[in-house]
Amino acid sequence: MIVLLEKKDTMTNLDQNTWWSQFSQDENGVILDVRTEDEFNAGYIPGAINIDIYKGQGFIYRVEELDKSKNYYVYCARWCT
């Protein structure tokens, strides 16, 4: 599963090709990589912001600090099939 977080606080499930196509055309898009720091350091999409989803409340705090005017394209390894 790949999701797009839009500034309207909605989520849309997208397949990989649609996700990349929409991100590539979105001047306001930001990739949010929610994998662990080790996974991120092993390889990442340039320009992606890494916020480890397993950091509990720390994850929530970091997400709340994100620029609400942007569209966030979430990238993960475990949930994506």
Side-chain angles (χ1 to χ4, degrees), residues 16-31:
Q16 182 178 357
N17 292 331
T18 304
W19 183 91
W20 188 254
S21 175
Q22 285 191 14
F23 171 73
S24 298
Q25 297 174 31
D26 187 349
E27 294 180 12
N28 206 30
V30 177
I31 295 175

Side-chain angles (χ1 to χ4, degrees), residues 5-8 26-30 66-72:
L5 298 181
E6 298 175 349
K7 59 187 166 193
K8 301 174 192 98
D26 187 349
E27 294 180 12
N28 206 30
V30 177
L66 293 173
D67 182 345
K68 305 284 190 272
S69 70
K70 302 289 184 185
N71 297 321
Y72 292 91

Side-chain angles (χ1 to χ4, degrees), residues 4-78:
L4 160 66
L5 298 181
E6 298 175 349
K7 59 187 166 193
K8 301 174 192 98
D9 293 327
T10 61
M11 293 193 322
T12 305
N13 293 325
L14 303 172
D15 63 68
Q16 182 178 357
N17 292 331
T18 304
W19 183 91
W20 188 254
S21 175
Q22 285 191 14
F23 171 73
S24 298
Q25 297 174 31
D26 187 349
E27 294 180 12
N28 206 30
V30 177
I31 295 175
L32 178 59
D33 187 326
V34 297
R35 297 175 302 153
T36 67
E37 185 176 344
D38 287 340
E39 291 170 325
F40 184 79
N41 289 334
Y44 57 90
I45 300 170
I49 297 171
N50 178 232
I51 304 177
D52 184 345
I53 198 164
Y54 292 108
K55 294 292 185 182
Q57 192 63 38
F59 172 80
I60 294 169
Y61 290 143
R62 298 251 340 255
V63 167
E64 288 174 346
E65 293 174 347
L66 293 173
D67 182 345
K68 305 284 190 272
S69 70
K70 302 289 184 185
N71 297 321
Y72 292 91
Y73 293 77
V74 178
Y75 175 79
C76 62
R78 290 185 175 85

